[in-house]
Short mmCIF file of all heavy atoms in Angstrom, two decimals:
data_model
loop_
_atom_site.label_atom_id
_atom_site.label_comp_id
_atom_site.label_asym_id
_atom_site.label_seq_id
_atom_site.Cartn_x
_atom_site.Cartn_y
_atom_site.Cartn_z
N PRO A 251 -73.80 55.91 -108.80
CA PRO A 251 -72.78 54.97 -108.27
C PRO A 251 -71.37 55.18 -108.78
O PRO A 251 -70.41 55.04 -108.06
CB PRO A 251 -73.36 53.61 -108.72
CG PRO A 251 -74.80 53.84 -108.83
CD PRO A 251 -75.02 55.25 -109.29
N HIS A 252 -71.19 55.54 -110.07
CA HIS A 252 -69.84 55.71 -110.58
C HIS A 252 -69.49 57.15 -110.90
O HIS A 252 -68.93 57.49 -111.94
CB HIS A 252 -69.64 54.84 -111.88
CG HIS A 252 -69.34 53.40 -111.55
ND1 HIS A 252 -69.20 52.42 -112.51
CD2 HIS A 252 -69.12 52.80 -110.37
CE1 HIS A 252 -68.92 51.27 -111.91
NE2 HIS A 252 -68.90 51.46 -110.62
N TYR A 253 -69.82 58.04 -109.95
CA TYR A 253 -69.68 59.49 -110.18
C TYR A 253 -68.20 59.93 -110.32
O TYR A 253 -67.85 60.77 -111.10
CB TYR A 253 -70.35 60.21 -109.02
CG TYR A 253 -70.00 61.66 -108.86
CD1 TYR A 253 -70.56 62.61 -109.71
CD2 TYR A 253 -69.12 62.07 -107.85
CE1 TYR A 253 -70.23 63.95 -109.57
CE2 TYR A 253 -68.83 63.40 -107.70
CZ TYR A 253 -69.37 64.34 -108.57
OH TYR A 253 -69.04 65.67 -108.43
N LEU A 254 -67.31 59.34 -109.57
CA LEU A 254 -65.89 59.82 -109.36
C LEU A 254 -65.90 61.03 -108.43
O LEU A 254 -66.69 61.02 -107.49
CB LEU A 254 -65.13 60.09 -110.66
CG LEU A 254 -64.73 58.79 -111.43
CD1 LEU A 254 -63.95 59.12 -112.68
CD2 LEU A 254 -63.92 57.80 -110.56
N ALA A 255 -65.08 62.07 -108.70
CA ALA A 255 -65.00 63.18 -107.72
C ALA A 255 -65.00 64.48 -108.45
O ALA A 255 -64.25 64.67 -109.42
CB ALA A 255 -63.74 63.05 -106.88
N GLY A 256 -65.84 65.44 -108.06
CA GLY A 256 -65.87 66.77 -108.68
C GLY A 256 -65.43 67.81 -107.68
O GLY A 256 -64.65 67.52 -106.77
N ASP A 257 -65.99 69.03 -107.81
CA ASP A 257 -65.53 70.07 -106.89
C ASP A 257 -66.62 70.59 -105.98
O ASP A 257 -66.57 71.68 -105.45
CB ASP A 257 -64.83 71.20 -107.62
CG ASP A 257 -65.74 71.98 -108.54
OD1 ASP A 257 -66.96 71.55 -108.65
OD2 ASP A 257 -65.31 72.93 -109.16
N ARG A 258 -67.68 69.81 -105.76
CA ARG A 258 -68.73 70.22 -104.85
C ARG A 258 -68.15 70.39 -103.45
O ARG A 258 -67.40 69.55 -102.98
CB ARG A 258 -69.87 69.19 -104.83
CG ARG A 258 -71.02 69.58 -103.87
CD ARG A 258 -72.03 68.47 -103.77
NE ARG A 258 -72.98 68.68 -102.64
CZ ARG A 258 -74.16 69.27 -102.78
NH1 ARG A 258 -74.56 69.71 -103.94
NH2 ARG A 258 -74.95 69.39 -101.71
N ALA A 259 -68.53 71.49 -102.80
CA ALA A 259 -68.15 71.71 -101.40
C ALA A 259 -69.24 71.09 -100.51
O ALA A 259 -70.45 71.23 -100.79
CB ALA A 259 -68.01 73.21 -101.14
N ALA A 260 -68.79 70.42 -99.46
CA ALA A 260 -69.76 69.71 -98.59
C ALA A 260 -70.66 70.71 -97.85
O ALA A 260 -70.14 71.74 -97.36
CB ALA A 260 -68.99 68.84 -97.60
N LYS A 261 -71.92 70.38 -97.77
CA LYS A 261 -72.89 71.23 -97.06
C LYS A 261 -73.57 70.41 -95.98
O LYS A 261 -73.72 69.20 -96.12
CB LYS A 261 -73.98 71.70 -98.07
CG LYS A 261 -73.51 72.70 -99.07
CD LYS A 261 -74.67 73.62 -99.51
CE LYS A 261 -75.68 72.95 -100.35
NZ LYS A 261 -75.60 73.25 -101.77
N LYS A 262 -74.01 71.07 -94.93
CA LYS A 262 -74.83 70.41 -93.89
C LYS A 262 -75.96 69.67 -94.54
O LYS A 262 -76.62 70.23 -95.46
CB LYS A 262 -75.39 71.44 -92.90
CG LYS A 262 -74.42 71.73 -91.75
CD LYS A 262 -74.95 71.11 -90.43
CE LYS A 262 -73.90 70.76 -89.45
NZ LYS A 262 -72.86 71.63 -89.03
N GLY A 263 -76.20 68.46 -94.15
CA GLY A 263 -77.29 67.64 -94.73
C GLY A 263 -76.84 66.74 -95.85
O GLY A 263 -77.61 65.88 -96.29
N ASP A 264 -75.58 66.88 -96.30
CA ASP A 264 -75.09 66.04 -97.38
C ASP A 264 -74.78 64.60 -96.92
O ASP A 264 -74.21 64.41 -95.84
CB ASP A 264 -73.79 66.60 -97.97
CG ASP A 264 -73.99 67.67 -99.00
OD1 ASP A 264 -75.18 67.95 -99.33
OD2 ASP A 264 -72.99 68.21 -99.51
#
Side-chain angles (χ1 to χ4, degrees):
H252 279 176
Y253 165 76
L254 286 182
D257 65 358
R258 180 186 167 94
K261 288 209 289 256
K262 272 252 152 49
D264 275 359

